[in-house]
Amino acid sequence: MSHHRITGVFSASATPLTADNRPDFALFTDHCRQLLAEGCHGVALLGTTGEANSFSGAERRAILEAALKAGIPADRLLPGTGVVAIPETVELTRHALSLGVTKVVMLPPFYYKGVSDDGLFAAYSQVLEKVADTRLQVILYHIPQVSGVPLSIPLIGRLIAAFPETVVGIKESAGDFNNMQAIIAAYPGFSVLAGADPLLLPLLKAGGAGCITATSNLVANSLRAVYDHVHDEARAADVEAAQARINAYRTLSNSYVQIPTIKAMVGLKTGNPAWKRTRAPLMPLGDADYAALAESYAKLP
Amino acid sequence: MSHHRITGVFSASATPLTADNRPDFALFTDHCRQLLAEGCHGVALLGTTGEANSFSGAERRAILEAALKAGIPADRLLPGTGVVAIPETVELTRHALSLGVTKVVMLPPFYYKGVSDDGLFAAYSQVLEKVADTRLQVILYHIPQVSGVPLSIPLIGRLIAAFPETVVGIKESAGDFNNMQAIIAAYPGFSVLAGADPLLLPLLKAGGAGCITATSNLVANSLRAVYDHVHDEARAADVEAAQARINAYRTLSNSYVQIPTIKAMVGLKTGNPAWKRTRAPLMPLGDADYAALAESYAKLP
């Protein structure tokens, strides 16, 4: 069985906004509760789908605090805390820990491109040494198509070797199944979490630990069904059907700009068009796209 | 003659660090004074060469305040204030204005890639509308090879049209001379500043406004000579020689990782090896590279 320290279905939750473009705490915490009710093991708030890097440090802290105040248990929250400057990554990580939130997803510093593994190792090491909290569990965040900063397999190995109790997993959002398999093979017990929904089932079969994905905002119950029954031969058809449903939602969300589309689809699911709002530089879907999306959405399984 | 509101030789100044990896305010302000003494019209601190995005907001504010406290006039300072989240870009820009610093260089939000011109227009517009200060003059920052977010010519035009008294120039750091020429042709009076040193002379001949470059940390006097005498036929040979000297320094700095090499070269110029320090994810040159650099540096004109 799995020796992963982090395993399950985690939602890369979207962040709703008020009419004046601030985080809508009430709607967000309702959404978190709903995600857990639909089967998510946890909510990986403040990631790429959550538009975290479009919020100030103060807003990020307020979003996490709002979730806790609304009664979401600390051990069900996995905020993104990796930002572009080491002192602010330290500050956000310490803030989470101060609230009892011990699992975080951490981007590398992402302004400079083509940086060396030595440089990324130094950056992560300095953060972890400054935070210096044995409770902390870090999920590295590999999303080179957005961050511009890939995390190589040797770098991952160096970080695990240096911080074996802290660096416990990776969110692999490049969607590169070969890379996921290689990480699993290289580092037994290290949690590889799919960042791309269609890979949940194949990754679990290959020894992966679960997922942190955007489509969970819409079909968490199907993701949970895949996760729970992947090894149950008798339910193979159900599992395949659940993964197919996930893929249908994913395909539709990727037919337009993904994050605004995910948000618009949450709005269609919940009947609350406030969900359409995004923060610049992301823009809400235009009226024509939204109308077409709504028509396609109504036909999804 | 030029109708540019921002014109001259500006240094993309490097930021020295203390042994415990904090900004070295004393060494930095000495460097700013030296850059002005060598002929820079101003210091464009806290840009890419200045490792700005590796500093926290608090550190960035402290660096700007240190320069002012050391007596650098506010109208000679052009800090970078564009960060990844609109509220923090607003905060840094307001901070500069609160100190009487009215000219800033502004990156677009740079986490998300492939964003639309509508999204970037919205981002810049929201910043400028929130800051709402008629003193402000903004130099847009086009450095797609690092930021991952190019600024298109139509976007530039939309911003000039919407904020004609505020959006007054662009730092073109893609090193794309055709792009510089196209911006000059499209928007007369808009200041196009070379971000790549070898293009200063050709850009000035083509109607550009000057430069904001890294090699100015080393050879500001030569950049100033090119700027001052570009239109003096009698001094054409001197101008060509000055540009050739600039190019020699630039070629050497780009023989290794550029920013750590620029810093190491400032250390060689000033005899202060503390300049070798960088903040992660950038790493100082290794000993072998540093020794080779020092040997090459000693032979520069």
Side-chain angles (χ1 to χ4, degrees):
Chain A
M1 288 308 296
S2 166
H3 299 291
H4 299 131
R5 276 173 288 188
I6 292 188
T7 175
V9 169
F10 303 100
S11 178
S13 56
T15 312
L17 298 168
T18 62
D20 62 350
N21 213 246
R22 295 174 195 277
D24 186 328
F25 299 119
L27 191 53
F28 177 69
T29 54
D30 285 351
H31 185 55
C32 289
R33 266 192 291 266
Q34 184 65 21
L35 291 170
L36 296 177
E38 290 183 15
C40 288
H41 294 93
V43 179
L45 66 166
L46 293 167
T48 301
T49 302
E51 296 173 89
N53 285 308
S54 298
F55 295 112
S56 67
E59 288 176 321
R60 294 168 74 123
R61 291 190 295 272
I63 290 167
L64 179 58
E65 288 168 13
L68 290 162
K69 267 184 214 144
I72 313 293
D75 66 357
R76 308 291 289 274
L77 294 168
L78 300 81
T81 61
V83 292
V84 81
I86 290 172
E88 293 183 345
T89 298
V90 170
E91 185 184 356
L92 287 172
T93 305
R94 281 185 179 150
H95 173 259
L97 287 161
S98 75
L99 301 170
V101 173
T102 60
K103 295 182 282 287
V104 304
V105 183
M106 199 180 283
L107 279 168
F110 54 81
Y111 182 64
Y112 294 106
K113 308 305 187 293
V115 292
S116 65
D117 276 5
D118 284 348
L120 294 174
F121 180 78
Y124 273 116
S125 296
Q126 288 172 23
V127 169
L128 299 182
E129 286 164 3
K130 282 176 186 158
V131 171
D133 190 315
T134 56
R135 297 173 300 162
L136 181 64
Q137 296 200 303
V138 170
I139 300 168
L140 306 174
Y141 193 0
H142 176 70
I143 184 167
Q145 72 274 29
V146 183
S147 68
V149 181
L151 304 179
S152 75
I153 292 178
L155 170 66
I156 297 164
R158 287 174 66 181
L159 288 167
I160 296 170
F163 305 97
E165 303 302 316
T166 305
V167 176
V168 297
I170 189 165
K171 171 164 156 52
E172 208 289 7
S173 291
D176 179 345
F177 193 62
N178 289 334
N179 188 45
M180 296 178 187
Q181 289 179 298
I183 300 169
I184 290 168
Y187 310 118
F190 184 69
S191 296
V192 178
L193 298 151
D197 295 272
L199 295 176
L200 175 58
L201 179 54
L203 179 65
L204 289 172
K205 287 181 174 173
C211 66
I212 303 178
T213 59
T215 310
S216 63
N217 287 284
L218 303 161
V219 290
N221 53 350
S222 294
L223 289 156
R224 182 62 188 262
V226 171
Y227 180 84
D228 282 349
H229 305 305
V230 57
H231 299 300
D232 181 349
E233 289 292 330
R235 301 184 72 156
D238 292 346
V239 167
E240 294 284 350
Q243 183 68 57
R245 178 169 181 254
I246 297 160
N247 295 357
Y249 279 76
R250 162 86 172 191
T251 298
L252 181 57
S253 73
N254 286 13
S255 302
Y256 307 91
V257 180
Q258 189 196 15
I259 297 168
T261 307
I262 290 281
K263 296 184 87 169
M265 289 168 79
V266 176
L268 291 166
K269 177 178 178 176
T270 60
N272 185 347
W275 269 103
K276 287 164 67 177
R277 298 176 187 131
T278 58
R279 183 170 279 189
L282 298 183
M283 295 296 281
L285 291 191
D287 290 344
D289 283 349
Y290 183 73
L293 175 72
E295 196 176 320
S296 300
Y297 181 84
K299 296 174 190 157
L300 284 174
Chain B
M1 289 305 296
S2 165
H3 299 292
H4 298 132
R5 276 173 288 187
I6 292 188
T7 175
V9 169
F10 303 99
S11 178
S13 56
T15 312
L17 297 169
T18 62
D20 63 349
N21 213 245
R22 296 174 194 276
D24 186 330
F25 299 121
L27 191 53
F28 177 68
T29 54
D30 285 350
H31 185 55
C32 289
R33 266 192 291 265
Q34 183 66 19
L35 292 170
L36 296 176
E38 290 183 16
C40 288
H41 294 93
V43 179
L45 66 167
L46 292 168
T48 301
T49 303
E51 297 174 88
N53 284 309
S54 298
F55 296 113
S56 68
E59 287 175 321
R60 294 169 74 123
R61 292 191 296 273
I63 289 167
L64 178 59
E65 289 169 13
L68 290 162
K69 267 183 213 145
I72 312 294
D75 66 357
R76 308 291 290 274
L77 293 169
L78 300 82
T81 62
V83 292
V84 81
I86 289 173
E88 293 183 345
T89 297
V90 170
E91 185 184 358
L92 287 172
T93 305
R94 281 184 179 149
H95 173 258
L97 287 160
S98 75
L99 301 170
V101 173
T102 60
K103 294 183 281 287
V104 304
V105 183
M106 200 180 284
L107 278 168
F110 54 82
Y111 182 65
Y112 294 106
K113 308 305 187 291
V115 293
S116 65
D117 275 7
D118 284 348
L120 294 174
F121 180 79
Y124 274 117
S125 295
Q126 289 172 23
V127 169
L128 299 181
E129 287 165 1
K130 282 176 187 158
V131 171
D133 190 317
T134 56
R135 298 173 299 162
L136 181 64
Q137 296 199 304
V138 170
I139 299 169
L140 305 174
Y141 193 0
H142 176 70
I143 185 167
Q145 72 275 28
V146 183
S147 68
V149 181
L151 304 179
S152 75
I153 291 179
L155 170 65
I156 296 164
R158 287 174 65 181
L159 289 167
I160 296 170
F163 304 97
E165 303 303 316
T166 305
V167 177
V168 298
I170 190 166
K171 170 163 157 53
E172 209 288 7
S173 291
D176 179 346
F177 193 63
N178 289 334
N179 188 44
M180 295 179 187
Q181 288 179 300
I183 299 169
I184 290 168
Y187 310 119
F190 184 70
S191 296
V192 177
L193 298 151
D197 295 272
L199 294 175
L200 175 58
L201 179 54
L203 179 65
L204 289 172
K205 288 181 174 172
C211 66
I212 303 178
T213 59
T215 309
S216 63
N217 287 284
L218 303 161
V219 290
N221 55 347
S222 295
L223 289 156
R224 182 62 186 262
V226 171
Y227 180 84
D228 282 349
H229 306 304
V230 56
H231 299 301
D232 182 348
E233 287 292 330
R235 301 185 70 156
D238 293 347
V239 167
E240 294 284 350
Q243 183 68 59
R245 178 168 181 255
I246 297 160
N247 295 356
Y249 279 77
R250 162 86 173 190
T251 299
L252 181 56
S253 74
N254 285 13
S255 301
Y256 307 92
V257 180
Q258 189 196 13
I259 297 168
T261 306
I262 290 281
K263 297 184 87 170
M265 290 169 79
V266 176
L268 291 166
K269 177 178 178 176
T270 60
N272 185 347
W275 269 103
K276 286 163 69 177
R277 297 176 187 132
T278 58
R279 183 170 280 190
L282 298 183
M283 295 296 281
L285 291 191
D287 291 344
D289 282 349
Y290 184 71
L293 175 72
E295 195 176 320
S296 301
Y297 181 84
K299 296 175 189 158
L300 284 175

